[in-house]
Amino acid sequence: MKKLVSLVMVIAMFMTFTLSTSLAAGQTATGEIKDKDGKALGTVNLTQTNDSTVRLEVKYNNLPPGTHGIHFHAVGKCEGPDFASAAGHFNPTSHKHGLDNPDGGHAGDLPNLVVPAGGSGTFTATSQQISLMDGPNKLIGQNGAALVIHANADDQKTDPAGNSGARIACAVLSAAPANLPASGLGGASSSSNNLFWILPACLGIFLAAGLGGLVIARRNLR
Ligand code: ZN
């Protein structure tokens, strides 16, 4: 009988873990890609898939076919025609540029974007160097953040931008409202906001599991 109760407790703990993980994840950010004249070229979607991974999806059209450097930049400002306003690559760890650089790379570095003939498609990548949650590698901080597409391929080793040439498109990234301070909770951060829900949820699961275990135990005693 004790075995059964233990089993129920293990299941409850597993459910609690799964629940807290899924609540910590799921934060999102979006952006609209524009060219130097402000013409829309597509959308950017970021999702925190777990505590350490962010998934990037870029749906684009009317980009020049070929290989292009694409990076997260440190300032959320896209002013044409050169997009210098977006500043350098997001680099909270003070590394050199490039995924293949022994001293690299920047947290904002990504694999090249390969645009097919026709100029439209979907680019996806995952990064464990950036986060949408609070912490040292939080991408969208006080200065915001941008995703910038360059004219040429990124060689992934030449500092500071892999010889990827001019910046041809730019998207200001904005965190979804869930990632903003919740005014209703006295400016509580998103993490304590999550905690606010996790604690009662855990308690509920433990209570339910405990009661379930007791009922089963009593039935078996009869
Ligand atoms: Zn870089």
Side-chain angles (χ1 to χ4, degrees):
M1 181 40 41
K2 275 182 182 169
K3 270 185 191 167
L4 192 63
V5 176
S6 321
L7 182 71
V8 171
M9 290 308 282
V10 167
I11 292 172
M13 281 163 74
F14 176 73
M15 284 174 69
T16 306
F17 174 76
T18 311
L19 187 78
S20 52
T21 305
S22 62
L23 280 174
Q27 296 189 3
T28 59
T30 57
E32 193 175 358
I33 308 169
K34 292 178 178 171
D35 72 5
K36 62 180 172 53
D37 301 318
K39 194 180 116 192
L41 296 177
T43 54
V44 180
N45 279 288
L46 292 172
T47 307
Q48 185 85 41
T49 55
N50 60 43
D51 281 351
S52 57
T53 309
V54 172
R55 182 176 188 274
L56 163 70
E57 184 184 77
V58 180
K59 288 188 175 159
Y60 59 86
N61 51 68
N62 291 319
L63 280 175
T67 305
H68 302 273
I70 179 169
H71 319 106
F72 293 110
H73 285 241
V75 177
K77 216 180 251 186
C78 292
E79 292 171 359
D82 60 3
F83 300 122
S85 55
H89 296 177
F90 179 60
N91 185 24
T93 51
S94 299
H95 281 103
K96 295 278 174 68
H97 172 79
L99 299 176
D100 299 334
N101 189 326
D103 299 320
H106 299 141
D109 293 347
L110 289 164
N112 277 305
L113 159 68
V114 181
V115 176
S120 47
T122 302
F123 172 82
T124 58
T126 56
S127 173
Q128 301 197 318
Q129 309 301 316
I130 60 164
S131 178
L132 298 181
M133 303 187 292
D134 287 338
N137 56 348
K138 182 180 185 179
L139 177 65
I140 306 173
Q142 279 191 330
N143 297 324
L147 185 73
V148 174
I149 298 169
H150 293 251
N152 306 320
D154 178 346
D155 65 18
Q156 298 292 359
K157 54 191 174 212
T158 307
D159 208 52
N163 283 326
S164 53
R167 302 173 180 189
I168 59 169
C170 185
V172 175
L173 303 175
S174 320
N179 202 23
L180 294 173
S183 53
L185 290 168
S189 73
S190 57
S191 50
S192 57
N193 213 347
N194 281 342
L195 216 60
F196 182 78
W197 290 106
I198 289 169
L199 290 177
C202 294
L203 202 66
I205 289 172
F206 271 110
L207 277 176
L211 280 175
L214 273 177
V215 168
I216 294 167
R218 289 191 67 171
R219 271 194 194 158
N220 279 277
L221 279 175
R222 277 179 196 163

